[in-house]
Amino acid sequence: MLEPIFGNGTAEKVLLYVVAHRQAYARELAQAFALPVSVVQKQVARLERGNVLASRLVGRTRVFELNPSYAFARELRALLERALDFVPPGERGPYRPKRVRPRATGKPL
Amino acid sequence: MRRIRADIGRMELAAIVADTLRAHDVDAVLVGGSVVAFYSNGKYVTDDLDFVSHKPLKTIAPLMERLGFQMNGNTAVHPATKLYVQFCAPPLAIGRQPVVSVALETAHGTVETLAPTDCVLDRLMHYYHWNDEQALEQALLVARSQKIDLRRIRDVSKSEGKLEAFEQFRARLRK
């Protein structure tokens, strides 16, 4: 969908995922899309250099989110949110909400 | 050619870099903490000189290397000084707004940079978006040392949906 704009499919997936979940880390993205971590790391690094993504360390994990200071952040978010509506049903899995409420330690799944 | 030495100051180094880049038609606007340091008359200290340029790093790197810098990604380090230079991705913007730089005439040369009001806004954006208290302190340092346009800061803050945070800044400024 947005690959012609972003230049490659990984960048599109990374940005759609980050907007859908507000934040993400490289290994999480790699697992979500069955991509090599190095491929994801290359894209998030490129997007971070361009100020599109911003990152911070949470423990030992580098977490990425859309950079609110990016001049076109609002427009980019709107474009990505619009694009999420067009993701085919069979490909929506990675973008569906994840459980974020607490789960007691040791409680069986 | 001016020599980069251990005791070189931030603005002298900024002027050397700016002059060199300008001579090769490379635009470069000084932003970030070193502008805070300048406008706060040294009340804030940083070793980092951030420039925004529209030219690609592959154009900038050879010019920096000619000055004796070693490039590592977007960062340029020099063996003679602890000060280092980073090149940030364009556009030059404060929040959603494009920014027009000002030419700062220093004792060492001309440096394109942010006007004091834009410098305050730049820091406030970090406070607004990341809740970065250090950025708020830097904004206050500049606002207390320079003549700034509070109305414009309020308008931009409002357009960012951060009017409440602006009022906190204004309240701190009055103290």
Side-chain angles (χ1 to χ4, degrees), chain A residues 49-51 54-56 65-75, chain B residues 57 74 88-91 93 95-97 125-126 129-130 159-161:
Chain A
R49 275 198 306 276
N51 275 341
S55 75
R56 60 198 155 83
E65 59 188 291
L66 208 58
N67 186 352
S69 299
Y70 181 50
F72 314 117
R74 202 178 293 182
E75 291 80 3
Chain B
L57 278 175
N74 67 337
C88 310
R96 293 163 50 78
Q97 312 294 327
M125 290 303 138
H126 288 82
H129 294 307
W130 303 108
S159 74
E160 293 287 316

Side-chain angles (χ1 to χ4, degrees), chain B:
Chain B
M1 186 193 292
R2 285 176 289 179
R3 199 166 61 87
I4 296 174
R5 52 192 198 281
D7 64 346
I8 195 167
R10 267 186 303 274
M11 289 314 285
E12 183 176 359
L13 183 59
I16 290 174
V17 170
D19 274 354
T20 301
L21 297 179
R22 195 181 305 116
H24 292 85
D25 292 327
V26 174
D27 63 302
V29 179
L30 187 67
V31 298
S34 54
V35 187
V36 174
F38 179 79
Y39 284 137
S40 68
N41 304 315
K43 291 193 184 89
Y44 175 74
V45 177
T46 179
D47 292 338
D48 179 12
L49 279 77
D50 292 329
F51 283 95
V52 172
S53 176
H54 285 86
K55 289 287 193 287
L57 278 175
K58 66 181 179 190
T59 302
I60 294 169
L63 302 174
M64 295 300 286
E65 283 161 1
R66 227 177 281 175
L67 286 172
F69 283 93
Q70 291 149 9
M71 293 296 295
N72 181 12
N74 67 337
T75 305
V77 294
H78 196 285
T81 174
K82 62 178 182 173
L83 301 175
Y84 61 97
V85 179
Q86 283 193 314
F87 291 94
C88 310
L92 185 65
I94 302 289
R96 293 163 50 78
Q97 312 294 327
V99 173
V100 178
S101 62
V102 295
L104 197 66
E105 304 296 338
T106 76
H108 309 287
T110 304
V111 177
E112 289 289 327
T113 188
L114 301 175
T117 297
D118 288 330
C119 176
V120 170
L121 273 167
D122 174 52
R123 296 294 98 179
L124 282 177
M125 290 303 138
H126 288 82
Y127 171 59
Y128 292 165
H129 294 307
W130 303 108
N131 204 25
D132 181 359
E133 289 284 337
Q134 285 184 356
L136 174 61
E137 294 298 332
Q138 292 167 24
L140 288 164
L141 281 177
V142 175
R144 287 172 180 144
S145 306
Q146 303 291 327
K147 189 176 177 186
I148 56 162
D149 183 349
L150 257 185
R151 181 174 292 181
R152 177 153 176 270
I153 293 173
R154 183 186 183 281
D155 290 347
V156 174
S157 302
K158 188 179 177 185
S159 74
E160 293 287 316
K162 301 292 180 182
L163 209 46
E164 198 176 317
F166 165 76
E167 292 302 341
Q168 290 166 5
F169 161 73
R170 184 152 68 177
R172 289 278 302 273
L173 191 58
R174 282 174 178 157
K175 282 182 186 168

